[in-house]
């Protein structure tokens, strides 16, 4: 199976919270990342978490890591229409030179 | 500070023709990556450079793809000859070095092979 998996699509209303989920298979993952990609643009690094942490908060973004279940989530509080984009989960392993392995992306649609 | 710069943004070529993409990483970044992003999928690594040395090119289809980073700064990725299945977005990224946790991406080159 795929190393990093995400659901394809999420739709929320403006002002609600969004939760995007990701699962990974490699227990030797060193860092886990969330990237945002808007149409026609490259990938923008939103946040990342070291594998020995459980949670990281950065303004409207909260990352939760359950290392036992190999589950990562990104919560966006007070979701805005400008948050509509594709969100990619990714992981790196130190023995792989910090090469990023990406999931397939979750398309977030925010309805006004 | 300028980010990772890629050119061209878009390229349309006929199959069997050659094509080249150019990337200028962030100044001072020693590690450079080329990723391939097919439609509806996440990026996949093609090649990673540490300075001018290609340290991981295991995913690069070497029969038709080649890359270089002669002076350890700019890089070019070439396809010769291009096939219909090469239509995708080619992303370049850079980081300070291989131990650094943050990689920054360019806007990509969207290639269409007809």
């Amino acid at each position: 199976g795929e190393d990093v998996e995400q659901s394809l699509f999420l739709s929320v209303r403006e002002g609600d919270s969004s939760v995007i989920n990701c699962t990974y298979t490699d227990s030797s993952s060193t860092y886990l990342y969330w990237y945002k990609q808007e149409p026609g643009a490259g990938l923008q690094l939103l946040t990342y978490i070291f594998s020995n942490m459980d949670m990281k908060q950065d303004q409207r973004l909260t990352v939760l890591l359950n290392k036992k279940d190999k589950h990562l989530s990104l919560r966006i509080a007070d979701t805005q229409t400008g948050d509509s984009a594709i969100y990619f989960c990714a992981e790196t392993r130190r023995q792989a030179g910090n090469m990023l392995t990406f999931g397939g992306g979750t398309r977030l649609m925010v309805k006004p | 500070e300028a980010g990772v710069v890629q050119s061209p943004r878009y390229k349309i070529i006929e199959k069997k023709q050659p094509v080249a993409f150019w990337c200028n990483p962030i100044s001072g970044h020693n590690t450079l990556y080329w990723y391939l992003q097919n439609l509806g999928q996440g990026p996949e690594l093609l090649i990673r450079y540490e300075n001018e040395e290609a340290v991981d090119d295991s995913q690069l289809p070497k029969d038709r793809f080649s890359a270089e980073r002669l002076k350890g700064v700019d890089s070019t990725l070439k396809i010769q000859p291009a096939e219909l299945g090469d239509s995708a977005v080619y992303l370049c990224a850079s980081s300070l070095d291989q131990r650094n946790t943050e990689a920054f991406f360019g806007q990509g080159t969207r290639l269409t092979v007809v």
Side-chain angles (χ1 to χ4, degrees), chain A residues 20-95:
Chain A
I20 303 172
N21 294 301
C22 170
T23 57
Y24 60 99
T25 57
D26 197 319
S27 57
S28 66
S29 295
T30 312
Y31 287 91
L32 294 121
Y33 300 78
W34 285 104
Y35 279 86
K36 176 183 180 183
Q37 187 176 39
E38 296 181 87
L43 280 78
Q44 174 194 353
L45 177 61
L46 290 177
T47 186
Y48 62 93
I49 188 168
F50 188 47
S51 58
N52 69 352
M53 296 172 61
D54 298 325
M55 185 182 86
K56 181 178 180 181
Q57 187 155 1
D58 183 1
Q59 299 182 344
R60 292 190 298 123
L61 306 179
T62 303
V63 178
L64 294 178
L65 175 61
N66 182 327
K67 197 170 182 180
K68 173 177 170 289
D69 294 339
K70 300 188 184 67
H71 182 268
L72 180 76
S73 68
L74 174 69
R75 179 177 180 269
I76 306 173
D78 187 25
T79 313
Q80 302 297 307
T81 54
D83 294 324
S84 294
I86 300 176
Y87 290 80
F88 290 95
C89 170
E91 55 101 15
T92 58
R93 301 160 218 167
R94 188 156 290 150
Q95 59 269 37

Side-chain angles (χ1 to χ4, degrees), chain A residues 7-20:
Chain A
S7 53
L8 287 176
F9 189 74
L10 176 66
S11 178
V12 300
R13 292 210 172 273
E14 191 173 20
D16 288 349
S17 292
S18 307
V19 179
I20 303 172

Side-chain angles (χ1 to χ4, degrees), chain B residues 22-57:
Chain B
W22 176 80
C23 173
N24 183 242
I26 293 173
S27 177
H29 280 197
N30 296 325
T31 305
L32 184 145
Y33 310 81
W34 283 102
Y35 283 85
L36 164 70
Q37 186 177 21
N38 285 305
L39 186 65
Q41 298 182 22
E44 298 175 356
L45 182 72
L46 287 173
I47 189 167
R48 173 170 66 94
Y49 280 94
E50 295 297 332
N51 298 302
E52 66 275 8
E53 183 183 357
V55 295
D56 184 356
D57 62 355

Side-chain angles (χ1 to χ4, degrees), chain A residues 33 35 45 48, chain B residues 29 94-97 99-104:
Chain A
Y33 300 78
Y35 279 86
L45 177 61
Y48 62 93
Chain B
H29 280 197
S94 70
S95 65
L96 205 56
D97 56 47
R99 296 164 300 174
N100 194 264
T101 54
E102 297 187 36
F104 298 87

